[in-house]
Amino acid sequence: MNILVEMRPDYEKILEKPERSFIAKTVIREKRPTLSDAWHYHPEIEICYTEKSRGGKLFVGNQVRHYEESDIVMLGSNLPHGFVTSYPCRQVVLQMNSDFLGSEFIEKPELKSIKQLFHSANRGLFFNGRTRNRAVKKIKDVIQSVGFGQLVNLLELLNMLANSPDATSICTKEYILDDNESSFDRMKVVYDHIMNNFKEEVVIREVSEKLSLSEPAFFAFIKKHTKKTFTQLINEYRVNHACKLLMSNDMTISQIAFDSGFNSLSYFNRKFKQVMNQTPHDFREAHLGIVEGE
């Protein structure tokens, strides 16, 4: 889902233990419901395996997507990201610098594919299929081992991911971190407003006043920083919310449309197809293998 997140991310300083060249840890959170609490970046490359969660939203660079239990993502150096959820979540996180074994080590010919993996991770990578199942086992080996054995398991994991046919890029292009704090802060206000109000009518005046902008100036600001209209941003966020509900199979398509902020089923169907290139019915059938009689 192509939604540009241009809020200012927080820099996270990762403290490495002197006896280890990389970080392997389990992170447990009761919840982290707001993007402002989660949006950050760091120089370290990160592999994140969601071990337990009822799902939430993953923001990466200029994209937002759902994440679920058993998902594995890889995030490049200084790529802004944030996991947002209102439910308890447990994740295994591996973090390392690209030269964590020395600057010359990564240049060895045998490490060519891993070096390319690190570069590809600058767009964020999502792993699915057989690779995910194999990688989950190897990540557990990493977290459960120590010393040399842990390092060997990490290298085997990186080699597995580097040669995976099941990797897809999350961002459409490499995300360039902009140091314009004013723009970051203003887009944070806009995005938080959408997140908090997408189920209702989003009043332009309310959000433009938060930025001390006239409505024409607000529209120009959004267009400049997202290459989209404000209506597009809202509809894409609403469709993203609808995708989550469609995969849960608990509600009818009509109920999902209204719960996602659309006041017309036909308009919902049209916008959903524009964003997802398929109808809500086909999306649900593809993910759940069912046919809904509506």
Side-chain angles (χ1 to χ4, degrees):
M1 183 81 57
N2 186 5
I3 300 178
L4 187 64
V5 181
E6 282 201 20
M7 65 187 71
R8 178 69 181 179
D10 293 328
Y11 175 81
E12 179 178 286
K13 174 61 178 175
I14 297 173
L15 300 177
E16 299 179 13
K17 294 183 178 181
E19 70 273 14
R20 296 167 64 180
S21 57
F22 63 96
I23 299 296
K25 60 185 178 182
T26 299
V27 178
I28 301 174
R29 293 189 179 90
E30 286 300 313
K31 61 180 179 178
R32 190 159 67 174
T34 63
L35 185 57
S36 58
D37 293 330
W39 190 234
H40 69 285
Y41 70 101
H42 43 70
E44 292 79 7
I45 298 163
E46 178 172 309
I47 298 171
C48 184
Y49 158 53
T50 300
E51 193 170 26
K52 178 183 178 181
S53 177
R54 289 182 59 185
K57 290 183 174 63
L58 168 60
F59 295 79
V60 180
N62 64 348
Q63 297 286 316
V64 57
R65 63 178 298 153
H66 291 292
Y67 77 93
E68 301 288 345
E69 205 167 272
S70 299
D71 278 357
I72 297 176
V73 297
M74 187 170 184
L75 307 161
S77 177
N78 293 322
L79 177 61
H81 59 278
F83 292 86
V84 177
T85 180
S86 297
Y87 301 100
C89 180
R90 183 171 68 242
Q91 295 174 310
V92 176
V93 177
L94 310 177
Q95 295 166 325
M96 72 222 71
N97 290 304
S98 59
D99 60 350
F100 74 108
L101 292 178
S103 57
E104 295 183 1
F105 185 81
I106 196 65
E107 299 299 332
K108 302 298 183 183
E110 295 83 358
L111 276 294
K112 182 178 179 180
S113 61
I114 294 179
K115 182 180 179 181
Q116 179 58 45
L117 173 71
F118 286 168
H119 176 74
S120 299
N122 289 332
R123 292 170 58 185
L125 295 172
F126 178 79
F127 295 92
N128 212 330
R130 294 182 60 188
T131 297
R132 179 170 66 179
N133 297 332
R134 294 172 58 218
V136 166
K137 296 179 181 178
K138 185 55 62 176
I139 288 172
K140 290 180 178 179
D141 288 341
V142 173
I143 205 73
Q144 293 169 1
S145 56
V146 295
F148 181 74
Q150 189 177 54
L151 175 60
V152 171
N153 282 321
L154 176 63
L155 290 175
E156 289 179 348
L157 171 66
L158 292 174
N159 184 61
M160 180 191 303
L161 299 180
N163 293 283
S164 169
D166 304 313
T168 56
S169 297
I170 298 175
C171 299
T172 54
K173 61 182 179 180
E174 288 190 21
Y175 185 93
I176 305 301
L177 189 60
D178 188 355
D179 287 327
N180 187 334
E181 291 194 32
S182 176
S183 295
F184 272 118
D185 291 342
R186 283 184 162 189
M187 281 307 302
K188 176 183 181 299
V189 171
V190 173
Y191 222 90
D192 281 346
H193 189 88
I194 292 174
M195 290 179 66
N196 293 330
N197 297 280
F198 74 95
K199 291 189 177 184
E200 311 294 335
E201 180 183 359
V202 180
V203 181
I204 305 300
R205 176 179 50 79
E206 291 180 356
V207 62
S208 64
E209 286 180 351
K210 289 181 178 180
L211 304 184
S212 299
L213 293 174
S214 66
E215 291 188 21
F218 171 77
F219 289 133
F221 171 78
I222 294 298
K223 190 70 173 180
K224 175 182 177 181
H225 289 280
T226 70
K227 312 304 179 186
K228 298 176 183 289
T229 67
F230 187 56
T231 299
Q232 283 178 294
L233 287 185
I234 296 169
N235 283 336
E236 287 180 349
Y237 192 90
R238 286 170 170 164
V239 167
N240 190 57
H241 176 76
C243 288
K244 169 69 174 178
L245 298 180
L246 285 165
M247 289 188 289
S248 72
N249 195 26
D250 292 328
M251 304 166 65
T252 67
I253 290 178
S254 296
Q255 289 172 328
I256 288 171
F258 291 105
D259 187 82
S260 301
F262 292 95
N263 56 16
S264 163
L265 180 59
S266 60
Y267 184 70
F268 167 66
N269 286 330
R270 185 165 69 252
K271 292 302 174 183
F272 190 97
K273 189 170 184 178
Q274 284 180 2
V275 175
M276 301 302 297
N277 295 317
Q278 60 184 152
T279 66
H281 182 276
D282 289 342
F283 178 89
R284 167 170 273 180
E285 184 176 357
H287 284 80
L288 299 175
I290 65 168
V291 178
E292 182 178 8
E294 290 204 26

